[in-house]
């Protein structure tokens, strides 16, 4: 199979200055060998900038945000008790480096605290325990009912690792090599890296979701308020938040990382009242488990976008 033709990002900006920033961010990412999409929007003015904003991308742990919203809406409706205890056995739970996924002994955790673990430390076992209560198909159907057509939830979090293992055995380095190779050829050996089969979404759809959450225009106000609170407790600050950490700014976000995928979505709020929603979805063209320069480029994009979009 021949390599696909070189991709040229389609940039958007509501005026010349915004378009210039979008083009500069796209060029910075390309220089690092990073493909992807980016969108930043001032929630109150609607002004925005970005590139390839409608491209569907596998979301990794970013999908935990719409999952949380659906669960929280059920809690707000009285259909699910946030104090309900859920038992998680490490012998059968989902793979992951944080939270219950890293536990060595069985634990019992309330639904509300599973949500906290899922969003604050991106706990895959907590996410899949919630999906035992609210299946992926139900989450996807609720998203459709809310008009979130650009976001799809198709599978549990552990399916990411199952598909990688199916392609590369227990060799995660080989799985990363396959992901990067397939990025260059345009095919997908690992099913959950194919937007047609993955939990997937676009930057435009994700920013639209964040805007509706921050404006209480989706689900119920108790659900959106709790989602905002929980996203504000994320402990990972090495991407979009990295250059937005000051006493006058507040960041609420969710990262997503799997093989060559490095994502983050979130909202930065200033004491001045400015609110900017962002989505950065990236796919690196290198076999590296750690890529601080890519994380830094995402952070620079967030700062530059916020500076030009704030009032």
């Amino acid at each position: 199979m021949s390599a696909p033709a070189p991709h040229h990002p389609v940039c958007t900006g509501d005026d010349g200055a915004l378009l210039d920033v979008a083009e500069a961010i796209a060029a910075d990412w390309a220089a690092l060998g990073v493909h992807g999409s980016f969108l930043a929007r001032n929630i109150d003015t609607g002004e925005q900038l970005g590139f390839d904003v409608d491209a569907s991308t596998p979301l990794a742990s970013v999908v935990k945000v719409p999952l949380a919203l659906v669960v929280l809406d059920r809690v707000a409706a009285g259909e699910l008790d946030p104090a309900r205890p859920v038992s998680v056995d490490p012998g059968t739970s989902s793979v992951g480096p944080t939270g219950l996924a890293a536990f060595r002994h069985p634990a019992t955790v309330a639904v509300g605290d599973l949500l906290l673990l899922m969003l604050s430390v991106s706990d895959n076992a907590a996410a899949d325990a919630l999906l035992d209560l609210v299946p992926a198909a139900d989450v996807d159907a609720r998203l459709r009912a809310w008009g979130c057509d650009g976001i799809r939830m198709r599978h549990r979090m552990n399916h990411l690792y199952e598909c990688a293992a199916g392609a590369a055995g227990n060799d995660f380095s080989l799985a990363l090599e396959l992901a990067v190779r397939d990025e260059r050829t345009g095919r997908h050996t690992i099913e959950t890296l194919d937007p047609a089969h993955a939990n997937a979404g676009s930057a435009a759809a994700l920013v639209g979701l964040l805007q509706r959450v921050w404006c209480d225009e989706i689900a119920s106000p108790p659900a959106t308020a709790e989602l905002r609170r929980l996203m504000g407790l994320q402990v990972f600050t090495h991407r979009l938040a990295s250059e937005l950490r000051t006493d006058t700014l507040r960041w609420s976000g969710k990262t997503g990382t799997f093989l060559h995928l490095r994502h983050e979505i979130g909202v930065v709020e200033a004491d001045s009242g400015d609110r900017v929603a962002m989505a950065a979805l990236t796919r690196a063209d290198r076999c590296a488990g750690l890529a601080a320069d890519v994380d830094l480029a995402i952070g620079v994009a967030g700062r530059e976008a916020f500076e030009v979009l704030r009032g």
Side-chain angles (χ1 to χ4, degrees):
M1 180 182 295
S2 60
H7 176 71
H8 301 286
V10 177
C11 296
T12 184
D14 286 343
D15 59 34
L18 296 177
L19 185 60
D20 286 346
V21 172
E23 291 175 343
I25 293 170
D28 288 344
W29 286 15
L32 290 174
V34 172
H35 311 283
S37 54
F38 178 77
L39 180 62
R41 177 186 299 157
N42 186 305
I43 288 176
D44 300 296
T45 69
E47 288 189 314
Q48 63 181 21
L49 65 91
F51 52 88
D52 290 350
V53 301
D54 293 316
S56 185
T57 302
L59 294 180
S61 286
V62 165
V63 81
K64 293 168 183 173
V65 172
L67 167 59
L69 182 60
V70 172
V71 173
L72 286 166
D73 194 53
R74 289 203 175 184
V75 168
E79 299 171 8
L80 189 58
D81 183 357
R84 175 177 173 174
V86 177
S87 296
V88 178
D89 183 352
T92 58
S93 70
S94 303
V95 176
T98 59
L100 296 169
F103 277 26
R104 299 176 62 188
H105 306 286
T108 300
V109 182
V111 165
D113 292 328
L114 290 173
L115 285 159
L116 171 65
L117 287 167
M118 179 177 73
L119 292 179
S120 63
V121 297
S122 203
D123 183 350
N124 290 332
D128 282 348
L130 290 169
L131 285 167
D132 287 337
L133 303 176
V134 185
D138 292 359
V139 175
D140 197 60
R142 176 53 60 183
L143 292 172
R144 300 283 74 67
W146 284 335
C148 302
D149 297 329
I151 304 171
R152 298 300 308 272
M153 178 130 207
R154 296 184 171 105
H155 60 76
R156 296 163 62 86
M157 299 308 300
N158 207 49
H159 193 53
L160 290 165
Y161 297 89
E162 292 168 347
C163 286
N170 292 321
D171 189 343
F172 208 69
S173 296
L174 175 58
L176 178 55
E177 290 179 12
L178 292 173
V180 171
R181 182 202 68 185
D182 291 351
E183 185 66 35
R184 295 168 181 161
T185 62
R187 67 191 187 107
H188 301 285
T189 306
I190 299 172
E191 182 182 63
T192 45
L193 295 180
D194 182 350
H197 299 283
N199 295 329
S202 67
L206 292 162
V207 166
L209 176 67
L210 292 173
Q211 180 170 2
R212 293 174 71 185
V213 168
W214 255 254
C215 295
D216 290 328
E217 295 174 349
I218 191 171
S220 60
T224 51
E226 181 63 0
L227 181 57
R228 293 192 296 267
R229 185 187 76 84
L230 291 171
M231 290 180 67
L233 299 177
Q234 180 180 233
V235 302
F236 304 120
T237 58
H238 58 298
R239 291 188 183 146
L240 282 173
S242 62
E243 297 206 8
L244 294 170
R245 289 181 290 179
T246 74
D247 289 345
T248 61
L249 299 179
R250 181 171 60 259
W251 174 256
S252 305
K254 181 71 198 75
T255 56
T257 309
F258 185 68
L259 297 176
H260 68 322
L261 305 177
R262 294 175 177 85
H263 306 328
E264 187 165 17
I265 67 171
V267 175
V268 57
E269 301 172 84
D271 286 352
S272 61
D274 295 296
R275 303 185 297 174
V276 175
M278 304 184 192
L281 308 176
T282 77
R283 309 181 309 279
D285 189 18
R286 71 176 80 162
C287 294
L290 298 175
D293 55 342
V294 176
D295 293 332
L296 176 61
I298 294 171
V300 170
R303 173 179 52 77
E304 291 179 345
F306 178 69
E307 288 177 348
V308 75
L309 283 169
R310 69 186 308 177

